[in-house]
């Protein structure tokens, strides 16, 4: 039998569900905007990827998130892998033996009559943790929109872009692959990394799914040459050396331990690793280390700051220095507050080429002309934005402006 990707239309008995509206989470935006490189749209509206050492397919209807978790080939491994996130319960052995490895549950079986309520609770807890569903996007959008009418305008059609809370090892080594690279190429590299060095999990429709490699697998002295053969170029050395440095100097739990360090301390610690500059460190802080105030600044975000916020537009600066990086981060933290990194990700997502058609609908919704032919102004209330955990903002003023109709230019896929 060939195990297949689960599809909701073939029967909901194979699926579990939890309440979650599309305004709080949109899978198509969140999983494809360059945060994680492990998810693919395997059938329309169905996303399959690896999380917590298991393979999942996710889909959604307006108010419901549906999920299907596949059995791993190696049942013994399932326990140790899941422990990474929330603690574990191994499937009932008798039922597990009845099932084909990795196959979706058959219609004749009740979906997880096989597993206890406890397993279901663990799965839900993992999803809530991964998508950080306890953070209310609706409330944040109101707060940001009140402070910044450009954000309010774009966010009308980009609701549901959330920050993932990824495994720190996966996040760090995926982002080491991002330097001078674009999303589709990074996805290919991360896939090859997992196929070569990660434990096999299962096979669906001739696609093999592997776990992300462990630190010790990445630190092995043979890895650099192997990754160069796989097309990683100069990044091969950074991956091997960073893994080795973490294990030699800090130990295997160090990355997760940075979750409890203050933002700047965690960022500076990451920057001691080979191949980790400020932008990569900020991405890891924001996307896996619980630092929502981290604002990763690349050329793309710099363009957004100049074009949409008239940030230092005429100073002629050609490259992102440490100072510029800090100043743009502080500018957005002052404007958006302690979850500035989440707000920045909405604008980053809206600027990706693949979502331009969606962005155009935002521009179609722009205010019309009044009777005198003047463009109506969008109301823009300036609110006091909280700035805890930002350090000094200096003399920068976060002045939201109400913009005239912007010309949309379709860009090439941005280099990360």
């Amino acid at each position: 039998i060939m195990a297949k990707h689960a599809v909701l239309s073939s029967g909901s008995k194979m699926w579990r569900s939890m309440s979650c509206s599309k305004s709080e989470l949109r899978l198509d935006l969140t999983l494809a905007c360059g945060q994680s490189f492990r998810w693919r749209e395997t059938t329309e509206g169905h996303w399959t990827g690896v999380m917590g050492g298991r393979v999942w397919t996710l889909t959604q209807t307006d108010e419901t998130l549906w999920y299907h978790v596949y059995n791993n080939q190696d049942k013994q491994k399932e326990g140790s892998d899941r422990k990474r996130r929330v603690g574990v319960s191994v499937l009932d052995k008798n039922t597990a033996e009845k099932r084909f490895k990795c196959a979706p549950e058959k219609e004749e079986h009740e979906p997880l009559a096989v597993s206890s309520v406890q397993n279901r609770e663990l799965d839900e807890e993992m999803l809530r943790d991964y998508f950080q569903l306890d953070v209310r996007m609706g409330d944040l959008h109101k707060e940001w929109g009140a402070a910044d009418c450009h954000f309010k305008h774009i966010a009308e059609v980009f609701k549901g872009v959330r920050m993932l809370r990824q495994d720190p090892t996966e996040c760090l080594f995926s982002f080491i692959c991002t330097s001078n690279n674009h999303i589709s190429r990074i996805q290919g590299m991360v896939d090859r990394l997992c196929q070569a060095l990660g434990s096999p999990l299962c096979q669906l429709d001739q696609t093999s799914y592997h776990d992300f490699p462990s630190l010790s697998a990445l630190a092995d002295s043979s890895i650099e040459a192997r990754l160069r053969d796989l097309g990683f170029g100069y990044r091969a050395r950074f991956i091997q050396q960073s893994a080795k440095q973490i294990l030699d100097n800090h130990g295997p739990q160090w990355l997760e331990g940075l979750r409890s360090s203050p933002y700047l301390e965690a960022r500076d610690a990451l920057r001691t690793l080979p191949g980790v500059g400020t932008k990569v460190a900020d991405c890891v802080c924001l996307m896996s280390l619980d630092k929502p105030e981290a604002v990763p600044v690349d050329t793309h975000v710099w363009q957004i700051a100049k074009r949409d916020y008239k940030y230092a537009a005429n100073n002629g600066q050609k490259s992102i220095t440490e100072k510029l990086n800090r100043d743009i981060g502080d500018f957005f933290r002052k404007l958006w507050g302690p979850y500035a990194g989440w707000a920045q990700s909405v604008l980053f997502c809206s600027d990706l080429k693949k979502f331009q058609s969606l962005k155009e609908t935002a521009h179609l919704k722009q205010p019309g002309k009044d009777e005198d032919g003047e463009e109506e102004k969008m109301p823009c209330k300036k609110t006091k934005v909280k700035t805890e955990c930002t350090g000094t903002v200096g003399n920068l003023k976060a002045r939201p402006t109400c913009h005239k109709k912007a010309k949309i230019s379709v860009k090439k896929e941005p280099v990360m």
Side-chain angles (χ1 to χ4, degrees):
I1 313 164
M2 167 59 73
K4 294 189 177 304
H5 290 98
V7 183
L8 187 60
S9 59
S10 65
S12 60
K13 283 187 179 180
M14 291 160 45
W15 295 79
R16 294 288 200 196
S17 68
M18 56 193 282
S19 177
C20 180
S21 78
K22 279 191 174 178
S23 62
E24 283 291 317
L25 167 65
R26 269 191 57 177
L27 295 173
D28 59 336
L29 300 178
T30 301
L31 297 178
C33 69
Q35 293 187 57
S36 167
F37 304 99
R38 308 289 317 273
W39 295 90
R40 300 287 182 282
E41 192 174 20
T42 40
T43 313
E44 191 179 352
H46 291 63
W47 295 82
T48 303
V50 178
M51 175 187 48
R54 295 184 306 153
V55 183
W56 304 63
T57 295
L58 308 176
T59 190
Q60 64 188 148
T61 44
D62 284 345
E63 297 298 327
T64 307
L65 178 62
W66 297 86
Y67 60 96
H68 179 87
V69 194
Y70 303 87
N71 282 337
N72 287 348
Q73 286 169 339
D74 177 359
K75 300 288 183 306
Q76 303 311 310
K77 209 174 145 299
E78 184 164 322
S80 61
D81 278 333
R82 288 189 72 187
K83 208 162 54 184
R84 257 201 263 170
R85 189 56 61 92
V86 275
V88 176
S89 149
V90 179
L91 289 174
D92 171 63
K93 209 174 172 190
N94 296 333
T95 341
E97 281 163 6
K98 288 180 198 164
R99 295 201 207 161
F100 177 70
K101 66 173 184 186
C102 194
E105 282 119 40
K106 299 274 194 300
E107 282 291 341
E108 59 265 28
H109 296 308
E110 276 306 307
L112 288 172
V114 301
S115 68
S116 62
V117 171
Q118 187 190 4
N119 280 15
R120 181 178 183 165
E121 284 171 357
L122 278 169
D123 290 344
E124 245 183 65
E125 195 179 330
M126 286 184 85
L127 283 170
R128 294 196 74 79
D129 181 72
Y130 187 71
F131 289 110
Q132 306 198 67
L133 294 177
D134 295 335
V135 176
R136 306 285 302 164
M137 288 303 292
D139 297 343
L140 287 174
H141 275 235
K142 276 192 197 116
E143 202 177 303
W144 297 328
D148 171 6
C149 57
H150 173 69
F151 177 90
K152 184 178 184 178
H153 177 58
I154 294 291
E156 282 299 311
V157 291
F158 282 89
K159 287 179 176 154
V161 179
R162 304 187 72 85
M163 294 313 307
L164 302 174
R165 186 178 194 252
Q166 299 177 61
D167 175 76
T169 300
E170 176 174 330
C171 190
L172 171 65
F173 288 93
S174 296
F175 274 91
I176 288 176
C177 297
T178 63
S179 61
N180 300 311
N181 223 339
H182 53 71
I183 291 174
S184 49
R185 192 154 166 261
I186 299 160
Q187 283 179 326
M189 290 172 91
V190 172
D191 268 355
R192 293 195 296 280
L193 186 69
C194 296
Q195 300 275 347
L197 302 172
S199 310
L201 298 176
C202 70
Q203 190 168 359
L204 302 169
D205 293 315
Q206 294 165 341
T207 300
S208 291
Y209 291 90
H210 289 68
D211 206 356
F212 200 84
S214 65
L215 278 171
S216 51
L218 295 168
D220 189 272
S221 56
S222 65
I223 291 310
E224 182 183 343
R226 197 163 168 198
L227 292 182
R228 282 188 184 276
D229 289 343
L230 290 172
F232 280 68
Y234 63 88
R235 303 172 194 88
R237 192 175 87 250
F238 292 150
I239 288 170
Q240 190 272 331
Q241 287 185 347
S242 284
K244 188 172 186 326
Q245 188 171 311
I246 290 169
L247 289 177
D248 288 354
N249 298 352
H250 305 291
Q253 300 308 311
W254 178 69
L255 281 172
E256 289 203 353
L258 292 177
R259 285 179 165 166
S260 54
S261 300
Y263 160 51
L264 293 176
E265 195 180 297
R267 189 188 70 182
D268 290 344
L270 291 169
R271 287 174 56 193
T272 63
L273 299 170
V276 180
T278 304
K279 191 213 78 171
V280 167
D282 272 331
C283 287
V284 178
C285 282
L286 176 64
M287 299 170 194
S288 68
L289 297 181
D290 304 336
K291 314 285 182 257
E293 70 270 39
V295 177
V297 177
D298 59 4
T299 52
H300 199 56
V301 172
W302 187 22
Q303 289 306 317
I304 290 172
K306 288 193 292 189
R307 183 191 68 215
D308 299 327
Y309 293 87
K310 304 297 175 260
Y311 178 86
N314 302 314
N315 70 0
Q317 191 161 348
K318 294 284 188 287
S319 62
I320 300 174
T321 59
E322 281 300 309
K323 182 180 186 312
L324 183 67
N325 195 303
R326 186 178 63 245
D327 288 350
I328 290 177
D330 285 343
F331 172 82
F332 283 129
R333 279 185 281 272
K334 187 174 184 191
L335 177 58
W336 293 325
Y339 274 75
W342 287 54
Q344 172 264 335
S345 73
V346 176
L347 297 186
F348 181 89
C349 181
S350 78
D351 235 37
L352 292 175
K353 183 181 176 183
K354 64 177 88 172
F355 300 130
Q356 283 302 309
S357 58
L358 193 56
K359 191 174 185 181
E360 281 163 27
T361 63
H363 285 275
L364 292 174
K365 289 181 177 177
Q366 278 210 321
K369 309 271 183 186
D370 64 20
E371 287 169 10
D372 302 321
E374 288 293 310
E375 189 165 306
E376 290 172 17
K377 292 279 186 283
M378 290 165 58
C380 196
K381 183 178 67 171
K382 182 73 181 96
T383 60
K384 232 177 178 177
V385 181
K386 290 174 276 185
T387 53
E388 57 256 42
C389 59
T390 63
T392 55
V393 178
N395 57 5
L396 290 170
K397 293 194 176 82
R399 251 194 230 113
T401 49
C402 294
H403 305 289
K404 297 213 163 156
K405 208 174 250 184
K407 246 167 104 184
I408 303 167
S409 55
V410 176
K411 293 182 175 52
K412 288 183 180 160
E413 188 172 9
V415 170
M416 296 292 288

